[in-house]
Amino acid sequence: MSKKGWNEGIVINGVTFPSDELNRKQDADLLTKILTRRSNVISQSANKSSYVINVNAEWGAGKTYFIKRWAEDLKYDYPVVYIDAWSNDFMDSPIITVLAEIQEQLLDSINKSCLPRDKKKRFKNIGISILPKILAALVKRYGGFDIEDLFVEESSEESEKPASTNKTLDLSAAMEAMATQAFKEHSDYKSGVKELKATIKELIKFAVDNPKNSLSANKRSYPAFIFIDELDRCRPTYAVEMLEAIKHIFDIEGLVIVVSTHTEELQHTIKALYGNNFNADSYLRRFFDTKYHLDVTVSPSLLEINSDFSILNHDELNEKNILLFPFISQNNECLKRQVSSLLVSISNWKKLPPRSSIQLANRLLTSIELIDNEKSIDIVVLSVLLCLYMFSKSEFDYLCSTLRMEYFSFDDKATTLRISYEKLNLRSSLIEMTQSKDSFCSYKQLLELSNPEKMQLFRLSSDFNNVDIHDYFHSFSDVMKRGSNVRRTGFLHTFDYDGRGSIGNKQLMQAYMTFFGIQKASLEYYLDLINLTNKLSDS
């Protein structure tokens, strides 16, 4: 089995991961180089320990994709364990989760023919004899038992009695027994952790020296990597106990632990356990040696990876006579890229973070699923309205009220919404539309015009320079108000163009909107689509 390049799709544990569209290989290569060097430096120092890094990115940035592909890439050269913390947080103890995954995944990566029977038994039973001692001590710890409770303050009346300290032991037999048991459990815990670490260290060495032939012909290298994913989604107690286990139990030389989280969400998780005033940021700094932030910008690739753009099937939409103005495309890939690029422009305009942009894409694609047959929908108008509805309701309400007015009159002083000079890359979409004359003749909802009238329209062109959202919505509003009141003979006179000279941008936009039947779907139809997607929303 050969290592696959990041430019190829790959199947990992039955799940297909696409090729690397976000250039995550660059992040993986950088981190591998840094973490390998730092771990090896620590192994040469007096204070030998593991090295723990927090890979931070917000939801939708592709953390799990990155972690799984990176782990898959590393396993040919290093021992690797991947743990989905969220899928295991029903377990009582994260220690059991981590131990079980280390045992299963490292043993699976070893050439079994090189594994002596005694070692095989030892590795398969890793932690069984000592885990109860460790868990017992942790239960006492998290149960609130404290040896200090065995001491009581002397009363002021007894202060004159000779004593070497202001505390004394309660010498009852029960308390003595509890103290003895407590110290024994503490000693068992320390010896148990030491034994467990030694066994894991031995297993890692064997995994380095004796990999499966399908992974490496000779031997792999240090360090071993443990990836812990989705910790921020776990219940608070499990997340905290996992962090404590990483620090105290799995602090093992030659081990790099990569904890993948949306760290801000993890801080909220910790505050849910310790209270809103708890300094979760300082608390987390105790566990991580360093942090790495996965940069992500809103891009067509990001949206296409995280949303189901298969809905934009050109043949299916064509069969249903659904037209997404102004995107008149001949194939699926072109339509997908036009819609995703529009959403990127809207996201950048409204400064949406990646998570919100993905939510917008999902909602828009759902709304497209709900469009009735033989409908022409202005996808720019629908996308903008949907974005405002989701993330700025007051601006949505103002724009809707403006569209309902007899004349489109937008007052910048009455709203925080800014639509003048915001172009959303409309120019290229409109130019492409006017050049796609052979792509839309089959749609039933097109305005019936004679061939000479259509040819006159098709001959016209514009560079659509300086077309912004204001111009676009103004044109849309005029088309909706005009409705079916359109001249079939002398069609272009409807828009005050007499055929002489060049035609204005808004005149040509309105002519094409009308020809494609945009006026046949009311503003209320757009709002109904938005309300329906609100009911169906997964986010």
Side-chain angles (χ1 to χ4, degrees):
M1 183 172 58
S2 60
K3 183 191 293 190
K4 281 210 168 188
W6 286 66
N7 60 338
E8 303 175 81
I10 189 172
V11 177
I12 304 174
N13 296 329
V15 179
T16 300
F17 290 83
S19 59
D20 177 25
E21 300 290 342
L22 302 177
N23 197 24
R24 291 298 184 218
K25 183 180 186 300
Q26 181 177 330
D27 295 287
D29 290 345
L30 174 65
L31 284 171
T32 301
K33 183 178 180 180
I34 291 174
L35 294 175
T36 300
R37 186 187 66 79
R38 291 187 182 180
S39 178
N40 290 336
V41 167
I42 291 173
S43 296
Q44 304 294 325
S45 67
N47 298 318
K48 303 182 188 318
S49 64
S50 61
Y51 192 86
V52 185
I53 182 172
N54 175 212
V55 174
N56 172 44
E58 61 186 88
W59 185 92
K63 291 189 299 297
T64 294
Y65 172 88
F66 170 65
I67 292 297
K68 284 195 171 183
R69 287 223 59 167
W70 183 21
E72 186 70 14
D73 202 47
L74 284 175
K75 73 179 187 181
Y76 294 88
D77 303 303
Y78 306 91
V80 170
V81 175
Y82 172 85
I83 300 168
D84 182 344
W86 188 48
S87 68
N88 287 285
D89 85 337
F90 65 90
M91 298 286 290
D92 290 332
S93 170
I95 298 175
I96 296 174
T97 298
V98 177
L99 270 181
E101 296 294 344
I102 287 175
Q103 178 207 66
E104 179 181 346
Q105 295 184 41
L106 288 190
L107 278 178
D108 188 57
S109 74
I110 286 174
N111 186 343
K112 299 295 193 301
S113 64
C114 301
L115 189 61
R117 182 174 296 180
D118 62 325
K119 283 191 182 294
K120 184 176 182 179
K121 182 178 180 181
R122 177 173 164 78
F123 293 153
K124 283 201 123 186
N125 295 328
I126 188 170
I128 287 179
S129 62
I130 54 178
L131 197 55
K133 301 172 186 177
I134 296 173
L135 291 178
L138 289 176
V139 167
K140 291 288 186 183
R141 175 180 178 182
Y142 289 107
F145 182 82
D146 193 332
I147 292 178
E148 283 294 312
D149 293 337
L150 301 176
F151 294 88
V152 295
E153 293 286 340
E154 291 207 53
S155 64
S156 56
E157 291 81 11
E158 297 173 327
S159 59
E160 70 277 9
K161 295 180 181 180
S164 58
T165 176
N166 65 342
K167 291 186 177 183
T168 185
L169 278 171
D170 183 339
L171 297 177
S172 70
M175 294 301 284
E176 284 190 41
M178 286 180 67
T180 301
Q181 181 64 22
F183 284 117
K184 181 178 183 305
E185 286 176 355
H186 180 67
S187 178
D188 287 346
Y189 168 76
K190 288 180 67 177
S191 62
V193 169
K194 185 176 180 180
E195 184 180 341
L196 182 62
K197 287 182 176 181
T199 307
I200 294 173
K201 189 174 177 181
E202 185 181 3
L203 176 56
I204 289 172
K205 186 178 188 313
F206 210 90
V208 168
D209 293 339
N210 303 279
K212 275 183 177 178
N213 292 334
S214 59
L215 293 176
S216 179
N218 299 307
K219 59 184 291 186
R220 293 181 288 190
S221 304
Y222 281 100
F225 287 81
I226 294 182
F227 293 90
I228 299 175
D229 197 12
E230 305 275 28
L231 189 61
D232 49 298
R233 301 180 71 179
C234 296
R235 54 189 167 87
T237 52
Y238 188 88
V240 169
E241 287 177 25
M242 177 68 84
L243 291 170
E244 294 284 354
I246 289 170
K247 182 175 179 64
H248 299 294
I249 310 294
F250 300 103
D251 182 21
I252 300 168
E253 174 194 355
L255 187 61
V256 167
I257 301 175
V258 181
V259 182
S260 168
T261 65
H262 180 194
T263 307
E264 185 178 339
E265 288 299 321
L266 183 57
Q267 290 175 1
H268 291 317
T269 297
I270 291 167
K271 287 183 178 182
L273 192 62
Y274 291 118
N276 287 330
N277 294 326
F278 184 75
N279 191 333
D281 180 61
S282 295
Y283 176 78
L284 287 176
R285 290 178 190 276
R286 296 170 47 213
F287 301 103
F288 303 133
D289 295 300
T290 192
K291 289 183 182 180
Y292 186 83
H293 184 74
L294 276 182
D295 289 325
V296 60
T297 56
V298 179
S299 66
S301 295
L302 177 74
L303 300 183
E304 291 165 20
I305 288 170
N306 287 279
S307 301
D308 183 13
F309 274 79
S310 65
I311 292 165
L312 298 177
N313 185 299
H314 175 267
D315 293 334
E316 289 182 9
L317 292 172
N318 194 39
E319 185 179 340
K320 295 177 181 179
N321 282 283
I322 294 174
L323 193 150
L324 305 177
F325 183 90
F327 301 143
I328 316 300
S329 301
Q330 292 278 17
N331 59 72
N332 297 342
E333 287 304 311
C334 182
L335 181 58
K336 180 170 71 172
R337 187 47 56 105
Q338 285 176 319
V339 173
S340 61
S341 296
L342 170 66
L343 290 169
V344 168
S345 297
I346 292 173
S347 298
N348 291 336
W349 165 48
K350 296 307 293 179
K351 296 181 173 59
L352 299 183
R355 178 175 186 170
S356 298
S357 301
I358 294 166
Q359 290 173 332
L360 174 61
N362 289 334
R363 293 279 291 273
L364 178 66
L365 293 168
T366 299
S367 73
I368 292 171
E369 283 187 289
L370 299 173
I371 297 173
D372 294 323
N373 293 359
E374 299 183 18
K375 286 284 186 184
S376 294
I377 295 297
D378 192 310
I379 200 69
V380 175
V381 171
L382 179 61
S383 301
V384 169
L385 288 175
L386 184 56
C387 175
L388 297 179
Y389 179 84
M390 292 174 66
F391 304 111
S392 184
K393 190 62 166 55
S394 61
E395 294 180 345
F396 168 82
D397 291 338
Y398 181 81
L399 184 55
C400 287
S401 67
T402 303
L403 289 170
R404 289 190 177 103
M405 294 170 61
E406 185 177 356
Y407 300 103
F408 187 84
S409 177
F410 195 92
D411 184 0
D412 284 339
K413 296 179 181 178
T415 176
T416 57
L417 180 61
R418 297 293 174 261
I419 60 175
S420 297
Y421 310 112
E422 296 292 345
K423 298 183 180 180
L424 297 188
N425 199 30
L426 292 170
R427 178 175 179 268
S428 61
S429 300
L430 293 168
I431 290 175
E432 187 173 345
M433 173 200 65
T434 61
Q435 294 173 346
S436 304
K437 301 176 177 61
D438 300 325
S439 304
F440 44 72
C441 295
S442 62
Y443 291 98
K444 295 181 179 179
Q445 63 269 36
L446 302 185
L447 188 70
E448 292 185 7
L449 293 176
S450 66
N451 284 334
E453 293 287 350
K454 284 192 285 189
M455 294 309 298
Q456 187 179 13
L457 171 63
F458 295 164
R459 280 196 296 267
L460 295 172
S461 63
S462 172
D463 59 13
F464 293 106
N465 272 336
N466 302 318
V467 171
D468 57 21
I469 308 177
H470 182 279
D471 295 334
Y472 196 92
F473 269 80
H474 195 169
S475 297
F476 174 80
S477 177
D478 287 350
V479 167
M480 301 298 277
K481 299 293 190 307
R482 189 180 293 113
S484 61
N485 188 21
V486 178
R487 297 175 61 171
R488 306 299 177 94
T489 302
F491 172 68
L492 292 172
H493 285 277
T494 306
F495 315 102
D496 299 324
Y497 178 67
D498 60 8
R500 292 180 293 182
S502 59
I503 189 169
N505 289 334
K506 286 197 285 189
Q507 291 171 304
L508 191 56
M509 275 195 294
Q510 289 186 37
Y512 269 101
M513 286 178 178
T514 304
F515 173 71
F516 283 121
I518 293 300
Q519 69 280 4
K520 296 180 182 180
S522 66
L523 174 63
E524 299 309 314
Y525 185 83
Y526 286 76
L527 302 185
D528 286 343
L529 285 176
I530 290 171
N531 285 326
L532 284 172
T533 61
N534 191 47
K535 293 179 180 179
L536 289 167
S537 172
D538 295 328
S539 54

